[in-house]
Amino acid sequence: MYRQGDVLIVPLAEGAVPAHVRDAQDEPRDARGRLVLALGEVTGHAHAVVGPGRLVREPGPFGPLLLQLPDGGRVVHEEHAAIPLPKGWFRVIRQREYVPGSVRIVAD
Amino acid sequence: MAETGVPVGVGIQEDSGSAATDLAHWRAVAAATGPADRETAEAGVRRAYRDAGLTEPVRILWADSPRAAVTLLVRLAGDDELGSSVRDVVRNGPWAEARERLHARLGPSGWGAHWNATGGRLWNTTQMLVDRIRTGVVEDLAAPSRTVAGARDRRSETAIRLMLLDAVFGQHEAAWLSAFGSSDTESDSRLDGLAQVARSAGWWWPYERVAVVCERPTELHRDEAGRLDSATGPALAFPDGFALHAWRGMPVPADFLAGLAGLTPQRIRDEENAELRRVMLEHFGYDRYLTESGAEPVHRDATGILWRVQLPGDEDVVMVEVVNSTPEPDGTHRTYWLRVPPRTRTAREGVAWTFGLQADAYEPQRET
């Protein structure tokens, strides 16, 4: 697994990918043609993947995004070193922190 | 961080760009601050009336905030100057039709996917603003109860809430408009008037004879997750002084923020409201608090350091101290603190929990 700041990218076995994901609609790429894993509302800084692949949103409060990279790729961010990723399926998990009585997403 | 400025006026029709460009446009509309473009907004209001088959309003009046608008509307309604609300005809009808058409064309799952890719991205952050503004208007305007101390007069509160139900949210309709107006759907001309108002003004209230339109906020401060957030003043403020204060999305009293500058560990411990105490701790800095209250680290491993602070009459504050793997431009590594559940025993367990994993499952091979 790979961690870039507040995003964790965890490999997922081909067989573990839910069937409906194969036909699910892909997340649109951003204006620069990247797959955005997480976007900062204020700075516009993003954890993003460049190159061929699919990103599918799974519903739910932290609903991990599922990322498919047929040839591998690189995840980049304005404030973190890039991480090369092998080919395959991945879960994308946003970091959260504990708040008494609830949980909130980390926004760094 | 402050957000200012008015989005570039990219129209849905003249924008032949991608869905991503549309989404960025509507995201900017929802967060726009600064003076309304009154001429464009008024033309949009008139157009929305005409497109709904109505006669244009006799008068279009401006208010400096939703609070000022409700105050004005209550007065005008009392003088019987408004006529009936036409929100259903002007907004809900065209809305429902556009949604129905898209739904019929895309099918249920197609519609769901389309919403997720458009309005769904903006919904939470804009709806949160709408809810907070509504609450703020009620808190500021509802008369106090004559019988129960600290409560609001129910009749007065109901009158204000009913008035808020007649509002069209202008710039805060961005989520729906992004779903209806994306480049892969034909622009819906019956929504163009509404979209024009959204791009040039704040909330508005359409009635038979009068429309009241609001200015946009002068200030909007949010954190990276899009939650209202400012430690130095209002997180959201309008030209007439109507304002909301918040810390990472949590509403706080205006005078509370003023007291954050001179905090001491003792004052934090003395605060009885646990939520406000948490804000104080975050503002003061967990690291400073730990240093100044002589806390000892509980556990340390390759993932970070686990700290535990006992607070009187409250659950322990347990945190992992994590070092950012990418150095700052000056070569230092930024440390940050994440609060984890009080049951946490090791640093690895804490960091793993922040990603929803068990301690033994958390094993990143690359971290930056």
Side-chain angles (χ1 to χ4, degrees):
Chain A
M1 59 183 72
Y2 311 86
R3 185 176 72 85
Q4 188 179 61
D6 55 4
V7 166
L8 187 72
I9 301 165
V10 183
L12 188 65
E14 186 84 19
V17 177
H20 67 265
V21 168
R22 313 243 169 234
D23 308 319
Q25 182 164 340
D26 292 5
E27 290 290 286
R29 290 171 180 262
D30 72 354
R32 293 156 64 181
R34 308 176 307 170
L35 298 168
V36 176
L37 310 184
L39 174 72
E41 286 278 347
V42 177
T43 57
H45 290 176
H47 298 275
V49 172
V50 191
R54 299 177 63 200
L55 191 63
V56 178
R57 188 169 293 270
E58 277 286 275
F62 295 108
L65 287 160
L66 294 177
L67 171 69
Q68 184 189 20
L69 298 175
D71 319 317
R74 273 159 60 83
V75 57
V76 299
H77 186 275
E78 287 79 355
E79 296 156 34
H80 298 276
I83 299 181
L85 297 172
K87 68 177 185 185
W89 281 90
F90 301 89
R91 285 178 65 203
V92 179
I93 306 173
R94 285 295 297 277
Q95 195 163 36
R96 58 183 181 168
E97 64 185 321
Y98 174 78
V99 175
S102 69
V103 156
R104 70 179 170 202
I105 291 281
V106 172
D108 66 358
Chain B
M1 275 193 71
E3 295 170 82
T4 52
V6 177
V8 187
V10 198
I12 342 186
Q13 283 161 301
E14 59 267 33
D15 178 16
S16 56
S18 65
T21 315
D22 285 331
L23 192 64
H25 167 68
W26 287 112
R27 189 186 292 277
V29 164
T33 54
D37 174 350
R38 293 194 172 196
E39 201 178 326
T40 306
E42 291 188 17
V45 169
R46 294 184 195 284
R47 181 169 177 183
Y49 274 65
R50 286 197 309 272
D51 287 349
L54 297 172
T55 313
E56 293 177 13
V58 181
R59 288 192 294 162
I60 298 179
L61 304 172
W62 283 84
D64 276 344
S65 72
R67 183 181 69 187
V70 169
T71 307
L72 173 65
L73 287 161
V74 167
R75 187 167 57 77
L76 293 173
D79 298 343
D80 204 21
E81 290 189 40
L82 297 174
S84 311
S85 166
V86 292
R87 180 180 190 267
D88 264 356
V89 193
V90 166
R91 176 195 180 275
N92 298 4
W95 232 243
E97 274 174 36
R99 188 182 176 286
E100 195 55 41
R101 237 194 335 272
L102 257 180
H103 197 274
R105 215 185 63 205
L106 302 173
S109 63
W111 160 257
H114 176 72
W115 172 255
N116 279 337
T118 55
R121 304 290 189 82
L122 305 178
W123 178 256
N124 285 344
T125 45
T126 48
Q127 196 51 34
M128 181 190 69
L129 284 174
V130 168
D131 290 343
R132 289 294 314 280
I133 291 170
R134 273 200 196 115
T135 306
V137 169
V138 169
E139 283 176 354
D140 277 18
L141 293 184
S145 162
R146 280 189 292 260
T147 48
V148 185
R152 291 192 283 263
D153 176 69
R154 203 184 287 174
R155 187 175 296 183
S156 151
E157 180 171 339
T158 302
I160 291 160
R161 288 193 184 279
L162 286 172
M163 202 52 99
L164 287 166
L165 287 178
D166 290 343
V168 180
F169 299 121
Q171 66 180 135
H172 298 148
E173 305 270 22
W176 282 106
L177 289 166
S178 74
F180 296 147
S182 297
S183 50
D184 63 343
T185 65
E186 306 88 61
S187 164
D188 187 300
S189 65
R190 287 199 58 200
L191 294 174
D192 287 351
L194 293 161
Q196 192 172 325
V197 184
R199 281 196 281 262
S200 48
W203 294 17
W204 57 291
W205 276 259
Y207 293 88
E208 278 173 295
R209 294 193 291 278
V210 176
V212 171
V213 193
C214 275
E215 282 291 339
R216 288 185 287 215
T218 47
E219 284 188 67
L220 171 64
H221 303 280
R222 297 183 301 171
D223 66 5
E224 289 289 5
R227 300 168 299 208
L228 286 175
D229 178 42
S230 172
T232 51
L236 181 73
F238 284 85
D240 65 346
F242 174 62
L244 302 171
H245 295 75
W247 170 270
R248 297 199 195 168
M250 196 187 105
V252 293
D255 52 5
F256 171 79
L257 290 174
L260 288 177
L263 279 178
T264 62
Q266 190 56 48
R267 280 211 33 225
I268 295 172
R269 279 192 290 271
D270 290 346
E271 171 59 53
E272 287 182 4
N273 177 323
E275 285 206 312
L276 293 181
R277 190 164 53 226
R278 171 169 65 75
V279 174
M280 288 172 153
L281 270 171
E282 288 177 2
H283 187 268
F284 187 75
Y286 288 126
D287 48 340
R288 267 179 77 198
Y289 185 87
L290 292 168
T291 309
E292 298 192 19
S293 46
E296 292 289 329
V298 178
H299 178 264
R300 168 190 308 261
D301 61 30
T303 63
I305 305 170
L306 188 75
W307 295 84
R308 176 177 296 268
V309 178
Q310 282 163 349
L311 292 173
D314 198 354
E315 65 180 41
D316 291 355
V317 177
V318 177
M319 290 161 294
V320 280
E321 178 184 347
V322 187
V323 176
N324 207 341
S325 305
T326 301
E328 299 297 299
D330 65 1
T332 59
H333 286 260
R334 195 158 64 91
T335 304
Y336 59 104
W337 303 74
L338 296 172
R339 193 162 172 182
V340 293
R343 62 172 184 273
T344 310
R345 296 282 168 258
T346 68
R348 179 176 299 277
E349 189 190 337
V351 177
W353 181 90
T354 66
F355 288 113
L357 298 176
Q358 299 292 326
D360 54 358
Y362 181 72
E363 197 60 67
Q365 60 236 66
R366 270 297 299 277
E367 297 188 78
T368 67

